[in-house]
Amino acid sequence: MYEWTFSQGEGFYQAEVYIGEGESRQRSGKGVGKTKKEAKKRAAEEALSVVMPHFVPTLEQADKMKELEGLKVDDVRVVEKSSAAGIDSPYMLLCEFVRR
């Protein structure tokens, strides 16, 4: 389970993502940006680097991953675009996280 929290300062937003439940709940990522979307993206990137430190996309993959922006995780195009970018699907990333 994961949960997002947001706060707003003067001219910026801060996002935090928490993973786990109860006593195992911990902050896995924190990000700051001019918009909520930017702050959430930075927090997600930090959380991903914490739970899957070996995942570092190449520049080519990063460009292809931009096509995933704006898609919801349950969008049918996510698997196709993930495959085209040469990265695991969100489901496979989640399975890897749960396995660890």
Side-chain angles (χ1 to χ4, degrees), residues 53-71:
H54 68 280
F55 178 77
V56 179
T58 65
L59 290 176
E60 182 180 337
Q61 286 174 324
D63 285 341
K64 290 180 180 179
M65 287 171 60
K66 288 184 186 226
E67 295 178 22
L68 292 168
E69 290 182 17
L71 297 180

Side-chain angles (χ1 to χ4, degrees), residues 5 20 29 35 58 60 64 74 83 94:
T5 63
T35 64
T58 65
E60 182 180 337
K64 290 180 180 179
D74 58 354
S83 179
L94 181 60

Side-chain angles (χ1 to χ4, degrees), residues 3-9 12-19 26-51:
E3 177 185 347
W4 290 97
T5 63
F6 295 96
S7 58
Q8 184 176 2
F12 70 91
Y13 288 91
Q14 178 175 302
E16 296 178 330
V17 60
Y18 293 85
I19 297 176
Q26 60 182 324
R27 187 180 80 194
S28 298
K30 178 179 177 181
V32 176
K34 292 181 181 180
T35 64
K36 276 187 177 180
K37 182 178 180 178
E38 184 180 339
K40 187 175 181 180
K41 178 182 176 190
R42 289 182 178 177
E45 288 170 348
E46 183 176 303
L48 186 59
S49 72
V50 169
V51 298

